[in-house]
Amino acid sequence: MSGDCDFGLMGLAVMGENLALNVESRGYKVAVYNRTTSKVDDLIEGRAKGKNFVGTHTVEEFVKSVKRPRKLMMLVKAGPAVDAIIDQLIPLCDPGDIIIDGGNTLYSDTERRTKLVEEAGLLYVGCGVSGGEEGALKGPSMMPGGSKEAWPHIKEMFQAVSAKVGPNNDIPCCEWVGPRGAGHYVKMVHNGIEYGDMQLICEAYQLLREVGGLNNEELYDVFAEWNEGELQSYLIEITRDIFSAKDDQGGDAFLVDKILDVAGAKGTGKWMSQLALDLGVPSTLVTTAVFARGLSAQKEARVRASKTLNGPSESMNPEMRAAAMKLVGDRADFVESVRHALYASKIVSYAQGFVQLQAASAEHDWGLDYGNAALLWRGGCIIRAQFLDRIKDAFEADSNLENLLLHPFFKKAIEDAQAAWRTVVASAAILGIPVPAFSTALNYYDGYRLERLPANLLQAQRDYFGAHTYQRVDKDGWFHSEWLDLRKQPK
Ligand code: 2AM
């Protein structure tokens, strides 16, 4: 038996509820279910009142109310809950039905679940959904992967629901990403890039405040101006707005100044960092951003250390400080330098994200289309920015582009920004302002562009103490040397 709903959505927390309303608003009839069934009633009696919804109170009733082949989407807490629900759904579904996980799931779980669900004669989709509460309601970025046969069945609905971009606002930010866990992997990299973007913006904030002496009103103006140029993005826009918000607990202070400097994290940045380590690719921006959040969370230790550990005080090295202040220049110059540093670092961050995607795609045989991934992030999601059009163009022109930094547009952008970027990192170091993301981005750039790194010495050390062998610059093969015999003999 099956009902007449076009779509079923399970899990009515904020994202699920908003996505259900979004799907219904595009002309679909939607069945909803939630483990705590009072949430179903609240929705049906509240925001969904008078709309084309069917509220259900058991998983069986939920499944039965949807047309075959069923499209059943879960938006529940990632992890064991998803496995438990799949186990409940499989016996209730019919062959060809589609189970979709829209949560922030670790890609390897989606790899495993795709196989399991396909073996049961059903189809499985792991779909990254980004855009927060508002995106889910009005148009998120959607990154579906899994059983390819499911795509023709869900394409029209998902593309209707997703964000749209382009001059006519008709290009959906939803395309098929690839097999098994590919969609969730792309979503994870999106989140990792988001970590990098946010950390970079925070470093710009600290520099502008501590070195430039800008107050919140001035910061608002700077971010407003930045949002008109090449940095234009959702995150710059909301940062601008944050600087204008007054404390909602009363008083005339700005809310941002009342917020404790301890960062939270839900884990997708950590996953991306861990997977970068597994793949051996240097995704240093996300990793640095994760560590920066970790250091911020050690608030009590930092408070203690701040009373003991010295930075570069005025008296310590006045010449050096004067030189740094000269580098900083006047306030307008400094703001412009920080903008350049932010833009160049952001390019490096995205370059690293795509290198990781390339490595993961090769390892898992996903055949990812990188231009497509950039397009999916163009609208709806947290990292949405005009800049992504350039990335899409770069990969469309050359699908095998080894690194975004090599593309003429980005090469030129870094060339234009590089002097200011170096000035900012150098002066921050002299003045004792931590800029871990700005500097790791610069270090990656310098490391990547150098033909010769000191790893020859490293290989010598490894061979000396562990006979790990090394390669030579002038001959093929692997070599080991008897370093104890070769060294200068102690007198
Ligand atoms: P709840 O309202 O009954 O807690 C986000 O936590 C969403 O995931 C909520 O809708 C929550 O349902 C749901 N969820 C969490 N764990 C679940 C589980 N084991 N089974 C079903 N739904 C679950």
Side-chain angles (χ1 to χ4, degrees):
M1 199 195 82
S2 61
D4 64 350
C5 290
D6 303 296
F7 183 69
L9 197 139
M10 192 184 224
L12 296 175
V14 186
M15 290 293 282
E17 182 169 310
N18 281 331
L19 197 68
L21 288 160
N22 182 347
V23 174
E24 193 273 347
S25 75
R26 316 281 167 177
Y28 296 101
K29 185 167 182 178
V30 178
V32 288
Y33 171 79
N34 192 71
R35 179 182 59 179
T36 309
T37 53
S38 58
K39 281 199 193 161
V40 175
D41 303 331
D42 292 347
L43 175 65
I44 297 295
E45 292 303 316
R47 294 171 81 195
K49 202 170 176 80
K51 296 188 171 152
N52 210 6
F53 277 96
V54 172
T56 65
H57 293 91
T58 65
V59 178
E60 191 168 11
E61 195 194 339
F62 169 71
V63 173
K64 298 288 177 236
S65 58
V66 181
K67 267 190 244 173
R68 290 171 60 188
R70 299 183 177 90
K71 296 145 196 137
L72 306 172
M73 185 161 185
M74 304 170 271
L75 264 163
V76 299
K77 197 169 163 20
V82 176
D83 289 306
I85 294 170
I86 291 172
D87 288 345
Q88 282 178 286
L89 289 175
I90 287 176
L92 297 170
C93 284
D94 291 291
D97 284 353
I98 304 161
I99 301 177
I100 306 156
D101 172 16
N104 249 336
T105 292
L106 181 60
Y107 86 99
S108 49
D109 284 338
T110 306
E111 295 272 305
R112 172 177 59 76
R113 288 169 187 150
T114 305
K115 289 196 191 111
L116 183 132
V117 172
E118 285 181 349
E119 276 162 20
L122 309 178
L123 301 175
Y124 194 72
V125 175
C127 183
V129 179
S130 174
E133 222 175 307
E134 201 196 343
L137 182 64
K138 296 184 180 161
S141 160
M142 298 175 81
M143 296 152 252
S147 316
K148 181 89 198 258
E149 310 91 278
W151 182 230
H153 297 286
I154 59 172
K155 181 176 176 180
E156 198 178 311
M157 179 187 291
F158 274 39
Q159 293 194 333
V161 161
S162 77
K164 312 285 184 303
V165 292
N168 304 317
N169 222 29
D170 59 353
I171 305 170
C173 294
C174 175
E175 261 305 331
W176 189 250
V177 173
R180 303 178 302 280
H184 273 135
Y185 201 98
V186 168
K187 170 67 188 350
M188 176 194 71
V189 171
H190 162 282
N191 284 31
I193 288 177
E194 176 187 315
Y195 269 61
D197 276 352
M198 292 170 75
Q199 175 63 26
L200 289 168
I201 291 173
C202 289
E203 290 177 15
Y205 162 56
Q206 192 162 18
L207 285 166
L208 294 177
R209 220 169 81 116
E210 307 289 327
V211 181
L214 275 71
N215 62 28
N216 289 322
E217 276 137 352
E218 290 161 335
L219 286 163
Y220 178 93
D221 292 339
V222 166
F223 276 80
E225 201 185 312
W226 287 0
N227 201 41
E228 299 295 318
E230 54 203 1
L231 284 173
Q232 184 285 324
S233 61
Y234 172 70
L235 283 168
I236 294 285
E237 181 187 320
I238 66 164
T239 306
R240 173 199 68 194
D241 293 345
I242 286 167
F243 290 124
S244 67
K246 289 284 174 72
D247 187 0
D248 52 3
Q249 308 270 314
D252 201 33
F254 286 95
L255 184 51
V256 68
D257 295 326
K258 296 283 180 186
I259 297 179
L260 187 69
D261 55 332
V262 168
K266 281 199 175 159
T268 33
K270 184 176 83 178
W271 289 345
M272 181 172 161
S273 305
Q274 287 170 325
L275 290 165
L277 289 170
D278 289 342
L279 287 167
V281 293
S283 296
T284 62
L285 263 293
V286 60
T287 313
T288 299
V290 171
F291 286 145
R293 290 192 190 196
L295 189 57
S296 83
Q298 296 178 11
K299 174 77 180 179
E300 287 173 19
R302 288 191 289 113
V303 170
R304 281 193 299 277
S306 71
K307 297 186 171 49
T308 309
L309 302 180
N310 293 319
S313 63
E314 305 265 349
S315 58
M316 213 167 118
N317 193 332
E319 297 80 20
M320 219 159 146
R321 206 181 163 84
M325 289 320 288
K326 206 167 159 210
L327 278 178
V328 165
D330 73 14
R331 187 191 271 210
D333 286 346
F334 186 61
V335 169
E336 189 56 6
S337 296
V338 172
R339 186 182 70 80
H340 281 305
L342 180 52
Y343 188 49
S345 304
K346 181 175 162 125
I347 293 171
V348 170
S349 174
Y350 282 66
Q352 290 183 350
F354 279 92
V355 167
Q356 182 161 344
L357 278 182
Q358 286 167 331
S361 180
E363 173 157 309
H364 300 289
D365 205 12
W366 286 331
L368 291 184
D369 174 334
Y370 308 105
N372 197 7
L375 172 69
L376 301 186
W377 300 339
R378 177 66 187 80
C381 62
I382 306 299
I383 65 170
R384 62 183 182 262
Q386 260 164 26
F387 167 79
L388 284 155
D389 281 343
R390 299 296 192 166
I391 299 182
K392 180 177 153 292
D393 294 346
F395 282 111
E396 260 171 16
D398 176 7
S399 59
N400 294 318
L401 181 63
E402 205 179 328
N403 190 309
L404 272 181
L405 298 174
L406 301 172
H407 184 267
F409 176 83
F410 295 106
K411 177 175 161 353
K412 167 89 170 44
I414 293 228
E415 271 163 20
D416 293 345
Q418 126 159 235
W421 188 18
R422 292 184 190 285
T423 300
V424 168
V425 172
S427 44
I430 294 171
L431 298 170
I433 308 286
V435 285
F438 279 0
S439 56
T440 199
L442 183 56
N443 281 321
Y444 176 87
Y445 178 71
D446 281 335
Y448 186 63
R449 74 180 179 80
L450 279 189
E451 191 186 328
R452 190 175 168 90
L453 288 173
N456 52 328
L457 177 58
L458 194 123
Q459 287 297 80
Q461 291 165 334
R462 294 178 69 239
D463 192 54
Y464 191 126
F465 67 68
H468 292 304
T469 72
Y470 57 86
Q471 290 169 290
R472 295 180 58 97
V473 293
D474 54 355
K475 283 184 199 161
D476 286 340
W478 289 90
F479 298 85
H480 167 61
S481 297
E482 294 302 331
W483 296 91
L484 289 178
D485 298 339
L486 292 170
R487 69 184 171 158
K488 181 173 166 185
Q489 295 304 320
K491 293 211 176 86

